[in-house]
Amino acid sequence: MITLEVTHRFEQSADQVWRVAGEFGGLQAWLPGVTGCRVEGSGAANAGGNAERRVTLLDGSITRERLESLDDANRCYEYSILEAKGFDADSEYRASFQVLPLASGGSEVHWGVKLRLPASIPADKSEKVKTRIAAMYAMFLQNLASVLAR
């Protein structure tokens, strides 16, 4: 099991960051490489819901993700990948996204993932996957900072 968490501090309040990044179907507003994002169904799985987002990427591929939990009061949600380019059916991917207020008036995002790759993947490749995901999340959060600064 691969686990990691990327954090990023923002000058904007937690509420301001959550308004942009907390919308499950709003990835196109801040995530680079997303050309479309559509939510089908409604509600989080842990509350009996069936919301799934279909994320269209620059290369035309589509990633399907399920909303596992949503807590607007604590500015967090969890999602899992159901289908994605290069995603093996034997893999599991569950991520959490949370925006926390800071005493300074700014905020901090914690974006974590738990990922199980197929047993056939060697340890060195698993470590490369972890490094790539961490770099990708860091770049996405830096882009969010740029969007919020506008």
Side-chain angles (χ1 to χ4, degrees), residues 83-103:
E83 179 184 325
K85 182 179 178 180
F87 191 72
D88 190 284
D90 293 332
S91 298
E92 292 178 31
Y93 190 109
R94 188 166 176 135
S96 60
F97 188 94
Q98 184 170 24
V99 183
L100 299 170
L102 296 175

Side-chain angles (χ1 to χ4, degrees), residues 35-98:
T35 61
C37 186
R38 183 178 84 238
V39 175
E40 298 170 349
S42 66
N46 72 337
N50 63 348
E52 286 185 19
R53 65 182 173 198
R54 297 177 60 85
V55 183
T56 305
L57 304 174
L58 277 174
D59 66 0
S61 65
I62 294 177
T63 298
R64 286 181 42 240
E65 299 171 337
R66 177 178 46 230
L67 181 61
E68 299 292 350
S69 67
L70 173 66
D71 184 345
D72 279 314
N74 289 306
R75 298 176 208 87
C76 64
Y77 68 86
E78 292 185 336
Y79 64 95
S80 59
I81 293 180
L82 304 174
E83 179 184 325
K85 182 179 178 180
F87 191 72
D88 190 284
D90 293 332
S91 298
E92 292 178 31
Y93 190 109
R94 188 166 176 135
S96 60
F97 188 94
Q98 184 170 24

